[in-house]
Amino acid sequence: MADKSLQSLQPENGRELCLVKGKSCGYRGYKKDILTENLSERENTMFVCIRCQGIMREVSISSDGGEQFCSSCKKEGEPTHPNHQMDNMVMSFKCSCPLIARGCKWLGALGGCQDHLDTCGYVLEACTLRCGVVLQRDELRVHEK
């Protein structure tokens, strides 16, 4: 699944950041740095993917060993089943906008982050006039007039 605008929600594995809406991020787990509270050692064990080391996204449980990880981290052909209860817990974590470094002040539940990013003025977008300019959404509105 290609994500629309998630920059800092990618795993902490050095992948190139997705900065422009419409480009695929190739993400797996959520980055821990967007959480407004640090995870306890117990929570780190429970909610951090054993494969990508991010906060689990769409939690899957392996059918044979009971390991939990992001659904996108599962190996091809690996039998798994979803863990909706764990997903609900992860989605309730309090977080800041991944674009806080650009100035966004939004705070909310992780489950509402994508809805926020769909309208966040700090998301980078390419100019629809095809001039090649990439600007923050709020600046782009002025540029395109």
Side-chain angles (χ1 to χ4, degrees):
M1 175 171 88
D3 211 354
K4 293 190 254 182
S5 58
L6 300 180
Q7 175 195 12
S8 296
L9 296 181
Q10 297 179 85
E12 298 171 330
N13 64 2
R15 288 180 184 258
E16 184 176 328
L17 293 178
C18 177
L19 299 174
V20 181
K21 183 177 178 177
K23 297 223 177 171
S24 174
C25 290
Y27 63 86
R28 292 195 178 193
Y30 299 102
K31 285 188 80 172
K32 296 176 203 170
D33 64 358
I34 67 165
L35 299 180
T36 57
E37 298 175 3
N38 291 328
L39 296 177
S40 68
E41 191 171 320
R42 182 173 181 265
E43 289 171 326
N44 228 355
T45 304
M46 287 177 61
F47 299 112
V48 173
C49 176
I50 60 171
R51 298 185 180 168
C52 74
Q53 298 305 303
I55 304 296
M56 285 188 275
R57 180 190 298 264
E58 298 174 1
V59 183
S60 289
I61 302 174
S62 65
S63 298
D64 53 355
E67 292 180 327
Q68 296 189 118
F69 41 82
C70 304
S71 63
S72 61
C73 291
K74 84 176 206 166
K75 297 172 185 157
E76 191 173 324
E78 184 176 20
T80 63
H81 59 277
N83 185 338
H84 299 296
Q85 181 180 8
M86 187 71 78
D87 279 337
N88 291 338
M89 293 169 72
V90 169
M91 291 294 104
S92 71
F93 288 170
K94 301 296 178 213
C95 71
S96 59
C97 176
L99 305 175
I100 192 169
R102 291 193 193 141
C104 186
K105 305 281 189 242
W106 181 86
L107 297 170
L110 190 56
C113 193
Q114 182 59 56
D115 288 340
H116 161 70
L117 286 170
D118 288 343
T119 60
C120 178
Y122 294 89
V123 171
L124 295 179
E125 292 184 334
C127 178
T128 60
L129 303 174
R130 300 176 194 238
C131 68
V133 171
V134 176
L135 296 170
Q136 288 182 178
R137 187 178 281 146
D138 285 345
E139 296 169 347
L140 191 61
R141 291 181 187 124
V142 174
H143 166 79
E144 291 178 337
K145 286 185 180 182

